[in-house]
Amino acid sequence: MTEIVDEQISEMHLCEECAREKSVHMEQQFGLADLLAGLTDFGKQVKETEKVNLKCTSCSMTYDDFRKFGRLGCSECYSSFRSHLSTLLKKIHGSNHHLGKAPMRVPQGQKQIIENLHDLKIRLMKAIEMEDFEEAARLRDKIHEIEKDESNETG
Amino acid sequence: MKLDDLINNTGEWLKGIGTYSNIVMSSRIRLARNLSKRAFPNKASKKELGDVLQLVDEAIQKADYFNNALFIRIHEIDNVDKQFLIERHLMSHEHATNPEGKALVVSPEEILSVMINEEDHLRLQVMRSGLNLHESWKIMNGIDDVLSQHLDYAYSINWGYLTACPTNTGTAMRGSVMLHLPALVMTKQINKVLAAIAKLSFASRGFYGEGTQASGNFYQISNQVAMGHSEEDVLQNINGLIRQIIDQEEQARQALLVQNRSMLEDKIFRSFGVLRSAHIISSQETVELLSMVRLGIDLEIVKDVDRKAINELFIMIQPAHLQKLEGKKLTASERDAKRASLIRKNLGGS
């Protein structure tokens, strides 16, 4: 295995058992926050100026704080850091579309949208499974359209 | 119901009943929920935590599921009681630290519990004996629906339930199954199985929770991903994976019986013998020996003790449980003696 300490790269050759022990130790050092921080750094180069400006309008948590602690401050952080989180969620879950249930109590009018969207997503999955890519593309565009409308309203 | 009443019983999930209860100890579903536009617990002031606590408490009072439930404010109980609730798998270590503004609700039989103001405003847990994710989800889904009529959940059409940690965002659901896999460990196949589990994006942990090593040959398998799949699909996937692991464990058990029967019987009866006669015993040694006896019961090698008695001991032999039973604080060496006497009593030893 290769280890980098203070820019010194050293290679270690370990037997299986030592390697296992070593890896347990490393897991302890790399907490979830670091993992998340690593993920957020991954694809997107955050500019110095952009870093400072990202702050939740509701709880005043900054995106830098989030990267440090790995926890968001309130539900509004999701709107404030929308584009960054969208990328991050996709990296974590392999998807950034919710396909699960919805609460019983949602604002009037939203219920219909939720059900409609849910239905479209299920049909999209089926279309992909059946390799009906023409239909899948059509459904995908429709989903994007609805989601974009929603983001504009809530975000 | 009072907190002290819990010690006289153990949770339904330890009964050793339900499908595949020879290999599956329990099934658990956890949901995270937050209230809309309110600071998550880590960012909330004392007053904000109090407001959330009151809103959740009011919603819970309106739900039938919580009739006769136990409502505990964490800052009102002492450290032994906190540890006791953690040992029973009713709450997390995180919930016991900084107890201000936090609460725990526990239903009779301990099937349902709710941590209020842990990492998220609500952490709901349903736990059942055996491989029982489907039934657990039905209970959980029903409770969640009722609570969502009285509380404004933080929810986004695109991203689902919004949680403090983005690894939970989406369904905010984690399904997990606790497996007892002694034969896969003894035949040295367990690491292969764990590697396969990790490759499929599932997590595995020990019996005593997050960050713990597997002990007593128990492994808790759970999903990692919370987006892009419905709750039912995720649970079905876990179920499929668990069924395969069960098959592997069954095969390993049969192989041990065929190839090494006398050595296996010897190991099991020696374990049983030590448990029934020791006067001082550590928890680590106990857990390893109990695991062997549990295997002995599954293989009908041990016949004069039932699975429930063994399952319960895994919980009862822990430090806070021993101190609750004794009704006073015990030093480590006093606990080792108390543990041994409890085991002898429960397993009909001398």
Side-chain angles (χ1 to χ4, degrees):
Chain A
M1 68 177 287
T2 317
E3 196 173 52
I4 309 173
V5 181
D6 296 335
E7 298 185 348
Q8 280 278 332
I9 301 173
S10 61
E11 208 161 300
M12 281 189 278
H13 298 277
L14 302 170
C15 74
E16 222 178 304
E17 199 162 309
C18 304
R20 250 201 306 277
E21 255 175 47
K22 183 91 184 161
S23 75
V24 169
H25 181 63
M26 277 173 30
E27 268 168 39
Q28 283 164 351
Q29 285 189 334
F30 286 91
L32 181 67
D34 300 307
L35 185 73
L36 284 175
L39 277 174
T40 50
D41 278 336
F42 209 58
K44 202 159 193 162
Q45 286 293 324
V46 189
K47 288 186 204 121
E48 276 301 315
T49 47
E50 201 178 338
K51 262 188 200 172
V52 189
N53 290 339
L54 270 178
K55 192 171 186 179
C56 174
T57 47
S58 176
C59 74
S60 70
M61 176 171 263
T62 65
Y63 193 69
D64 274 357
D65 283 344
F66 163 63
R67 295 208 309 186
K68 225 178 281 166
F69 304 114
R71 299 286 183 278
L72 293 156
C74 71
S75 53
E76 296 309 292
C77 288
Y78 281 88
S79 307
S80 303
F81 311 145
R82 175 169 288 281
S83 70
H84 286 72
L85 285 178
S86 183
T87 318
L88 178 63
L89 288 169
K90 181 135 198 191
K91 272 178 192 142
I92 295 172
H93 300 285
S95 159
N96 49 14
H97 294 287
H98 174 59
L99 274 183
K101 66 180 291 195
M104 302 291 271
R105 197 163 90 179
V106 286
Q108 280 293 326
Q110 258 197 10
K111 191 107 201 153
Q112 195 56 47
I113 300 169
I114 290 172
E115 276 165 17
N116 196 2
L117 205 52
H118 189 261
D119 183 54
L120 285 170
K121 285 175 180 175
I122 302 272
R123 277 165 56 195
L124 173 63
M125 292 291 171
K126 287 214 174 103
I128 293 169
E129 245 170 60
M130 304 292 286
E131 299 187 6
D132 184 351
F133 297 117
E134 220 169 286
E135 171 76 353
R138 197 183 64 79
L139 289 164
R140 183 202 57 204
D141 293 344
K142 213 165 167 187
I143 290 168
H144 279 175
E145 214 170 286
I146 297 173
E147 287 189 337
K148 216 167 125 195
D149 289 348
E150 274 314 300
S151 314
N152 290 342
E153 261 166 52
T154 54
Chain B
M1 202 164 86
K2 289 205 298 278
L3 193 150
D4 284 340
D5 297 339
L6 293 178
I7 190 77
N8 302 320
N9 288 295
T10 46
E12 190 275 347
W13 65 276
L14 287 163
K15 280 195 172 145
I17 52 173
T19 341
Y20 299 107
S21 53
N22 56 335
I23 292 169
V24 180
M25 181 81 137
S26 60
S27 307
R28 187 185 81 125
I29 291 177
R30 191 219 67 199
L31 283 187
R33 296 288 183 256
N34 285 289
L35 306 192
S36 174
K37 298 192 171 137
R38 286 173 186 274
F40 294 149
N42 65 59
K43 189 87 177 153
S45 67
K46 200 174 155 183
K47 176 170 183 308
E48 287 170 317
L49 289 175
D51 292 345
V52 169
L53 193 57
Q54 196 182 340
L55 284 169
V56 175
D57 187 20
E58 282 167 15
I60 281 177
Q61 302 292 346
K62 290 181 195 143
D64 287 345
Y65 290 99
F66 295 95
N67 284 344
N68 297 319
L70 182 61
F71 192 95
I72 303 160
R73 282 173 199 277
I74 308 302
H75 74 272
E76 288 175 358
I77 60 174
D78 67 15
N79 286 339
V80 172
D81 279 341
K82 281 180 209 149
Q83 185 59 34
F84 172 75
L85 294 167
I86 295 169
E87 287 175 3
R88 285 180 98 80
H89 295 209
L90 292 171
M91 71 178 206
S92 63
H93 282 281
E94 183 172 337
H95 206 48
T97 42
N98 304 326
E100 199 62 48
K102 295 179 179 176
L104 175 72
V105 186
V106 181
S107 78
E109 280 206 290
E110 299 169 42
I111 289 172
L112 166 67
S113 61
V114 188
M115 287 189 280
I116 305 170
N117 286 332
E118 201 236 28
E119 182 180 302
D120 296 296
H121 292 141
L122 289 104
R123 282 286 179 100
L124 301 128
Q125 168 179 289
V126 167
M127 215 165 165
R128 301 300 304 269
S129 181
L131 185 56
N132 206 340
L133 287 170
H134 183 69
E135 194 66 28
S136 304
W137 171 245
K138 261 177 42 190
I139 298 172
M140 180 60 96
N141 196 19
I143 294 160
D144 182 47
D145 281 348
V146 170
L147 289 179
S148 77
Q149 287 169 350
H150 303 296
L151 296 168
D152 269 323
Y153 279 162
Y155 181 83
S156 131
I157 289 182
N158 301 343
W159 290 345
Y161 294 91
L162 306 177
T163 53
C165 183
T167 54
N168 293 317
T169 314
T171 60
M173 182 196 74
R174 198 141 292 181
S176 59
V177 176
M178 181 99 70
L179 295 159
H180 185 228
L181 305 173
L184 285 175
V185 174
M186 279 192 271
T187 55
K188 298 195 166 52
Q189 297 178 73
I190 191 70
N191 285 343
K192 259 196 317 195
V193 173
L194 294 180
I197 290 167
K199 228 179 228 167
L200 295 167
S201 294
F202 288 88
S204 64
R205 303 181 294 152
F207 182 71
Y208 298 106
E210 201 155 349
T212 63
Q213 293 282 319
S215 64
N217 303 313
F218 281 101
Y219 295 84
Q220 204 180 134
I221 315 288
S222 58
N223 64 297
Q224 304 259 63
V225 165
M227 266 196 205
H229 303 273
S230 70
E231 291 85 353
E232 286 85 356
D233 282 354
V234 169
L235 294 175
Q236 211 174 333
N237 283 344
I238 302 176
N239 215 57
L241 174 70
I242 297 296
R243 292 286 291 271
Q244 286 185 40
I245 302 171
I246 291 171
D247 278 349
Q248 303 255 324
E249 171 69 15
E250 297 264 24
Q251 282 172 27
R253 287 181 181 192
Q254 286 313 311
L256 281 173
L257 275 179
V258 172
Q259 290 160 16
N260 278 320
R261 184 170 190 116
S262 53
M263 261 180 62
L264 186 65
E265 285 179 345
D266 180 67
K267 204 169 158 69
I268 288 166
F269 281 119
R270 276 171 185 268
S271 303
F272 201 23
V274 170
L275 287 172
R276 291 217 282 190
S277 33
H279 280 242
I280 293 174
I281 194 162
S282 72
S283 52
Q284 185 57 38
E285 185 182 4
T286 305
V287 167
E288 300 307 324
L289 298 175
L290 283 173
S291 169
M292 281 303 110
V293 176
R294 196 182 194 276
L295 176 64
I297 295 168
D298 296 342
L299 299 177
E300 296 178 340
I301 292 170
V302 173
K303 291 183 179 120
D304 45 354
V305 55
D306 67 2
R307 193 181 290 129
K308 179 169 178 264
I310 299 293
N311 285 352
E312 289 181 345
L313 277 175
F314 280 107
I315 296 298
M316 303 295 279
I317 53 105
Q318 297 174 89
H321 272 76
L322 295 173
Q323 295 180 75
K324 292 289 279 182
L325 279 174
E326 193 68 11
K328 63 170 190 185
K329 287 214 160 171
L330 299 171
T331 63
S333 54
E334 286 171 336
R335 290 201 299 267
D336 287 350
K338 171 72 187 169
R339 181 177 299 116
S341 89
L342 172 74
I343 297 166
R344 288 201 311 277
K345 190 179 128 215
N346 286 18
L347 298 185
S350 49

